[in-house]
Amino acid sequence: MSEEPTHPRLEKRSRARRNPSPSTWVELVWPGKADALRPGLLGGGGTLEEVERHPGHGPGIQDRKEWRNLLVAGDNLLAAHALQPSLQGKMDVVYIDPPFATGDDQTAALEIGDGGQRSARSTVEPMPTRMAYADRWGRDLAPYLNMLAPRLVAIRPLLAPEGSILVHVDRRVAASVKLLLDEIFGQERLINEIIWCYTGPSSPGMRSFANKHDVIFWYANGPRWTFNVDSVRLPYNASTRRNEGRRTGFTTGDPSLVVKLNPKGKFPEDWWNIPVEAPASSRRTSYPTQKPERLLERVILAASNEGGIVADFFCGSGTTLAVAERLGRRWMGCDASPIAVHTTRKRLLGLKACAAFDVQRLVPDGDQASSVRSRHAGSFSFALSGRTFELTGFDPAGVDFVPGCVRSRISTWSDWIDYWCVDWDWNGGPVEPDLVAFRTRRKRALELACEVPFARGLAGRIVVSVVDVLGREATRVIESS
């Protein structure tokens, strides 16, 4: 009996694949593939629990009666199945930026207290961090492919008939992911292999060219797809503009033709020279692997129409969702990392204008829904003086397990708090914040007091939620007469 291979390998098959038409194609085979794609794993395993409902804010924002944007906290494989009853065949474009199999843990820098990254202490001590996600997959790509394959299969039914998916990877996994996409969507569904080029410093002593590009595979769900080329045209080069009106016989062989330029710009190539988000940019978050808004703007403008649904199942810092919101698209985002969901929520609430959105939590089968009363990542105290409500203390849970580099930055109890919100009239369902306060990179000071909107003070049931710098939530229900 031959041993199972330890690395992915290619096999030539001739049978019907997941695409309707039978064909001969090259299939990627790896240990565990059959288990990763078995029907039981692909068949669900969780439900969505609504935990927050944020109203729209900003000029020109009107809530849609038939749709609320959605941010899901939890495993994206289970989320993709849980979304199928409501969103099957409705997503216009899915962009995913999965882990790159770097072999490292990706960490997010933690900005603590009023000083943030600009405090004098930060120039002496290393910036405290928290792991955003693990990107370690062992000595070969089999575990990585076992993670990605079922998610791609689960996402496809969510795509609209003319929808498409863009999968963003780098050199480490691009070859294997391309073959995987060929198998799931069909080789003939490849629209483009887009190369995103960028620049940056290189390590001294390198014995190879600097790796300064990523790969984005764009696949259609069917024989037709959306491509708004006029929305993503680029400026012509100066030399091209100088040739406008001249005869083109030297390129076409027909001396009667003249150069005529499109007033909207040149047709874009499949390589994109877009800078990474600058460290000083107002759009920069502390989340690792953040992609620039210009990159997602080109993707969303090209592959979707205004009002269409844009989804990102590895939403990370929330760039896809923020750009989709700015461009008038509906959106859905998902991530299993608490720090990613927290970063995304703050980013959306910090936009000048944002449509209403819900935060939902994925509850695996067999687990109980997390009641508002059961979110205890710490405890806090408050004071009520007249019509002023004020947080007066916070005691985070599990302090002994918090890294020392974080604890050393805490000088007062309020430094633990990164975000808090109040629902003044809780009805027993999801929290609907009437007041939200949070820190940003540019505005580190956090308001700890607010005015109670009732002339006689607190009334009914009030919910106060506090999120600490690690993205952990503590919630308290205040019963009042």
Side-chain angles (χ1 to χ4, degrees):
M1 180 180 295
S2 61
E3 295 184 357
E4 190 175 31
T6 58
H7 297 280
R9 74 177 192 274
L10 300 180
E11 286 188 359
K12 189 174 182 180
R13 298 290 181 90
S14 181
R15 59 172 172 80
R17 52 183 165 173
R18 291 181 181 84
N19 266 22
S21 58
S23 62
T24 299
W25 88 105
V26 174
E27 178 185 10
L28 187 67
V29 179
W30 67 88
K33 179 179 180 179
D35 289 336
L37 298 178
R38 72 181 187 272
L41 181 61
L42 298 175
T47 57
L48 293 173
E49 169 202 12
E50 191 173 41
V51 294
E52 291 179 11
R53 290 174 62 87
H54 290 272
H57 68 270
I61 293 297
Q62 295 181 349
D63 289 347
R64 304 180 180 97
K65 295 182 179 179
E66 77 289 354
W67 171 268
R68 289 178 65 89
N69 293 324
L70 179 60
L71 176 60
V72 177
D75 188 311
N76 50 18
L77 175 60
L78 301 182
H81 290 290
L83 290 168
Q84 287 187 14
S86 59
L87 290 178
Q88 184 169 355
K90 295 182 179 180
M91 293 182 177
D92 297 282
V93 61
V94 172
Y95 166 89
I96 61 171
D97 177 21
F100 286 5
T102 62
D104 298 319
D105 292 333
Q106 299 296 327
T107 59
L110 295 181
E111 299 168 290
I112 296 174
D114 293 349
Q117 290 180 327
R118 297 166 182 79
S119 65
R121 185 185 298 177
S122 68
T123 63
V124 178
E125 299 178 4
M127 192 70 181
T129 61
R130 180 195 172 172
M131 189 173 76
Y133 63 91
D135 197 12
R136 299 174 183 268
W137 304 94
R139 297 172 58 185
D140 58 64
L141 287 181
Y144 178 88
L145 295 171
N146 286 331
M147 176 278 296
L148 186 60
R151 285 160 174 80
L152 292 172
V153 173
I155 288 171
R156 186 172 188 185
L158 297 170
L159 287 171
E162 297 185 6
S164 60
I165 183 171
L166 294 99
V167 181
H168 187 146
V169 292
D170 77 354
R171 70 190 187 284
R172 299 175 182 88
V173 297
S176 297
V177 170
K178 166 67 168 59
L179 290 168
L180 183 60
L181 289 165
D182 284 346
E183 179 177 346
I184 295 171
F185 288 89
Q187 187 176 8
E188 68 279 7
R189 298 290 183 242
L190 175 65
I191 304 171
N192 278 119
E193 178 181 338
I194 299 165
I195 304 300
W196 171 38
C197 310
Y198 45 87
T199 59
S202 301
S203 301
M206 288 182 62
R207 300 190 62 190
S208 65
F209 296 110
N211 299 306
K212 298 299 179 184
H213 81 275
D214 290 357
V215 182
I216 304 174
F217 296 113
W218 184 18
Y219 278 74
N221 189 37
R224 297 170 60 87
W225 60 90
T226 299
F227 180 46
N228 302 313
V229 64
D230 285 344
S231 298
V232 292
R233 288 184 179 271
L234 302 173
Y236 289 102
N237 293 330
S239 58
T240 303
R241 293 196 301 270
R242 286 194 296 268
N243 285 327
E244 186 171 17
R246 296 181 180 179
R247 298 190 181 279
T248 62
F250 66 99
T251 58
T252 66
D254 185 350
S256 65
L257 298 178
V258 297
V259 174
K260 185 178 181 180
L261 303 183
N262 190 307
K264 296 182 179 180
K266 63 177 264 188
F267 204 99
E269 295 90 354
D270 61 359
W271 56 271
W272 301 352
N273 193 352
I274 297 176
V276 298
E277 206 72 76
S281 169
S282 61
R283 295 180 293 270
R284 186 80 177 191
T285 71
S286 58
Y287 195 82
T289 70
Q290 178 180 349
K291 301 304 183 290
E293 288 200 4
R294 282 181 56 192
L295 179 72
L296 272 300
E297 181 178 282
R298 190 174 297 183
V299 165
I300 293 170
L301 285 173
S304 70
N305 297 314
E306 189 169 354
I309 299 178
V310 176
D312 186 343
F313 286 86
F314 295 83
C315 70
S317 66
T319 299
T320 303
L321 312 188
V323 174
E325 178 64 42
R326 176 164 55 84
L327 297 178
R329 272 63 169 173
R330 295 175 289 169
W331 51 261
M332 191 291 304
C334 178
D335 209 292
S337 167
I339 204 72
V341 174
H342 179 53
T343 300
T344 298
R345 174 176 51 192
K346 290 203 307 177
R347 187 170 183 177
L348 294 168
L349 293 172
L351 296 176
K352 292 181 179 179
C354 184
F357 69 94
D358 297 340
V359 179
Q360 296 186 1
R361 183 170 290 129
L362 197 288
V363 182
D365 289 349
D367 290 359
Q368 292 184 344
S370 57
S371 165
V372 166
R373 299 177 185 271
S374 66
R375 299 172 201 158
H376 298 310
S379 60
F380 56 87
S381 57
F382 68 93
L384 180 64
S385 176
R387 292 184 60 184
T388 301
F389 178 95
E390 182 177 8
L391 294 179
T392 57
F394 180 71
D395 184 18
V399 173
D400 292 341
F401 298 98
V402 176
C405 62
V406 175
R407 284 180 286 155
S408 67
R409 294 293 184 99
I410 303 295
S411 57
T412 182
W413 64 266
S414 61
D415 287 348
W416 285 106
I417 301 177
D418 193 59
Y419 166 105
W420 68 289
C421 68
V422 183
D423 182 347
W424 295 115
D425 188 22
W426 183 53
N427 61 12
V431 176
E432 302 184 41
D434 299 295
L435 174 140
V436 175
F438 54 90
R439 305 182 194 271
T440 68
R441 293 182 74 234
R442 292 180 176 271
K443 184 182 177 183
R444 297 301 307 160
L446 180 68
E447 294 288 341
L448 297 172
C450 63
E451 183 179 355
V452 177
F454 310 114
R456 296 184 179 180
L458 300 181
R461 290 187 299 177
I462 293 92
V463 169
V464 180
S465 292
V466 174
V467 179
D468 68 13
V469 294
L470 300 174
R472 305 177 304 173
E473 182 180 357
T475 300
R476 181 172 174 181
V477 179
I478 302 170
E479 305 279 356
S480 59
S481 57

